[in-house]
Amino acid sequence: KRLILVGPPGSGKGTQSPIIKDEYCLCHLATGDMLRAAVAAKTPLGIKAKEAMDNGQLVSDDLVVGIIDDALKKPSCQKGFILDGFPRTVVQAEKLDEMLARRGVKVDKVLNFAIDDAILEERITGRWIHPSSGRSYHSKFAPPKVPGIDDVTGEPLIQRKDDTAAVLKSRLEAFHKQTEPVIDYYNKKNIVANLHAEKPPQEVTVEVQKVLV
Ligand code: AP5
Ligand code: ZN
């Protein structure tokens, strides 16, 4: 299957991705994770992306389209993929259609993580991540066994630089202005499944599984 996960910051895309990935053996491409890795490694891409990311604004379409175009060439992505955080503008959605058309395939489903803005601040400010695996925890909703420590590796957890209430405001603004039109774009193709993303994680997983049967 070829899937797109779309939803505002903190709606649960990164939380559900590994579960979908394991169940369907798909490759998981998260542009936010790839960009954060590039920023940490100070690659030319990371240097260009850093300022926009720190301010909660979108990185330019050209940069992210380039990342996805490269990533889709990986052998592990040929049978299917989950795009998490891409496309985020209508231009990106159109470019994705072109890339897939060249490969003779198309998007099967768009999972829309629908949720009220009011819930997101608590989710975002309580999030802790394990940088190398991308595993995420929440101090209240999904706490690690030992605070600040990854359950699997015993390594320290960190908070994302853009996970503050102030930067969240810009990220939400970008979502409503630039990404909501992407949902309309796919609604016209009748491939959007709306999820109740405010429910507990396990219940969201059940909704995802129902959509993907
Ligand atoms: P990105 O990394 O994609 O961030 P985002 O879209 O803001 O999404 P998040 O990762 O914050 O949320 P999520 O939905 O994955 O939430 P999670 O599951 O972790 O992008 C970052 C930046 O990169 C952008 O601002 C932009 O600058 C740039 N960028 C990336 N892609 C781009 C693109 N295509 N074009 C241009 N620029 C791009 O959950 C959050 C927390 O809540 C966790 O702590 C989790 O444990 C908890 N939680 C999850 N689900 C539940 C639940 N059901 N109930 C209770 N708690 C829950
Ligand atoms: Zn995420």
Side-chain angles (χ1 to χ4, degrees), residues 14 84 127 160:
D84 164 358
R127 169 164 56 188
R160 267 168 56 176

Side-chain angles (χ1 to χ4, degrees), residues 7-163:
S11 56
K13 305 179 296 292
T15 300
Q16 300 298 327
S17 289
I19 304 168
I20 308 174
K21 181 183 177 208
D22 291 347
E23 207 154 307
Y24 298 91
C25 294
L26 302 175
C27 81
H28 172 221
L29 301 176
T31 39
D33 292 348
M34 295 189 244
L35 289 167
R36 273 186 292 282
V39 170
K42 298 197 167 70
T43 65
L45 167 71
I47 291 164
K48 285 187 206 138
K50 185 176 188 312
E51 196 184 331
M53 293 181 76
D54 286 350
N55 293 319
Q57 289 154 354
L58 295 186
V59 171
S60 79
D61 288 334
D62 286 347
L63 288 183
V64 283
V65 167
I67 307 183
I68 290 292
D69 203 7
D70 284 345
L72 287 177
K73 291 176 185 141
K74 290 196 283 192
S76 60
C77 298
Q78 301 315 306
K79 289 210 172 128
F81 51 72
I82 310 167
L83 298 180
D84 164 358
F86 181 94
R88 255 182 159 88
T89 64
V90 171
V91 170
Q92 292 177 20
E94 289 166 351
K95 297 272 184 199
L96 176 66
D97 277 349
E98 288 169 28
M99 284 184 251
L100 296 181
R102 282 204 295 276
R103 295 169 168 87
V105 297
K106 57 183 174 45
V107 176
D108 294 306
K109 252 317 175 246
V110 176
L111 304 181
N112 175 24
F113 285 68
I115 189 165
D116 203 275
D117 283 5
I119 307 178
L120 300 172
E121 185 176 321
E122 191 180 18
R123 285 204 190 172
I124 286 291
T125 54
R127 169 164 56 188
W128 288 84
I129 56 170
H130 177 242
S132 61
S133 70
R135 254 187 301 284
S136 78
Y137 298 87
H138 191 282
S139 52
K140 184 165 154 194
F141 306 127
K145 291 192 188 100
V146 182
I149 300 293
D150 178 44
D151 287 353
V152 180
T153 62
E155 289 166 0
L157 302 175
I158 59 154
Q159 287 196 287
R160 267 168 56 176
K161 205 174 169 196
D162 59 347
D163 276 352

